[in-house]
Amino acid sequence: NDGTLRSWDLATLTCSKVMTPRCGPVKDATADFMRNIVISCYCSARVVHVFKLEEGTCLAVLRGHLHDVRTVTVGGNGLVISGSVDRTLRVWSCLGKITGPRCVKVLTGHESGVCSVAADFEAERALSGADDGAIRLWDLQSGQCLHVWALHRWPVVSIKANFHEGSAISTSGQGVIKLWRIGDEPPTAETLSGHRGLVVCAADFAAGCAFSGGEEGTLRFW
């Protein structure tokens, strides 16, 4: 909420860098530690910032969305995806040394604002969740939507996936967590119960476990 981004040394549990975009409260942030970049978006802002992690300096401001950007993700190939209230996702390339970061694709089709995104840039697939509860599967090469699933009745607050295994977990309001298979049509979803209100999650599919945090103030290990 203070509008800062912090880099932490996990060995010493100390803050190694503070970045101050001055765009308001941070809505979402992600990092590519191999390429030394941090991507962030903010409440009530249409832009995405790209920071150089070690120096804490701003490399670029990505502009193009027509409304607030809510979610970002980054891949090891220098690609970034951002999702916005304007119902679109944008794919950005951050590798261009001559042209600089630029939008390479706009993914359209959502009927309400985009809340969350998960991507596998090697498999060229992405999942996005929206305010109306819909989840879409995208082909990042063609920019086409491959499937639309109505798994939730509330906004899809977070989504994680292992595209190689075909596993996904998504969360929304009313304490709902759904565990499902991407390859199934329609996907068979198992509901994990216990939370109340909005839920966010993190998952390690290789280890077969997930953490979730609910609006009621509890953390659950699955």
Side-chain angles (χ1 to χ4, degrees), residues 58-98:
C58 183
L59 293 176
V61 180
L62 309 181
R63 306 179 187 274
H65 281 294
L66 302 179
H67 215 303
D68 303 354
V69 181
R70 286 174 165 173
T71 182
V72 289
T73 190
V74 63
N77 54 2
L79 291 179
V80 172
I81 298 179
S82 57
S84 169
V85 179
D86 67 11
R87 305 180 183 182
T88 70
L89 297 107
R90 286 179 174 260
V91 183
W92 310 83
S93 172
C94 294
L95 294 180
K97 295 182 178 180
I98 298 177

Side-chain angles (χ1 to χ4, degrees), residues 152 155-159 169-173 176-178 199-201 212:
H152 294 272
V156 183
V157 179
S158 64
I159 187 166
I169 188 169
S170 52
T171 70
S172 64
V176 173
I177 304 172
K178 299 278 189 180
V199 184
V200 294
C201 73
S212 59

Side-chain angles (χ1 to χ4, degrees), residues 162-220:
N162 183 319
F163 290 87
H164 293 288
E165 294 183 0
S167 301
I169 188 169
S170 52
T171 70
S172 64
Q174 297 295 292
V176 173
I177 304 172
K178 299 278 189 180
L179 179 65
W180 49 285
R181 298 283 303 171
I182 299 172
D184 294 348
E185 186 57 45
T188 302
E190 297 182 32
T191 301
L192 309 181
S193 303
H195 284 296
R196 299 190 305 274
L198 294 177
V199 184
V200 294
C201 73
D204 184 338
F205 291 97
C209 60
F211 276 103
S212 59
E215 199 171 15
E216 80 287 352
T218 67
L219 289 168
R220 290 177 178 263

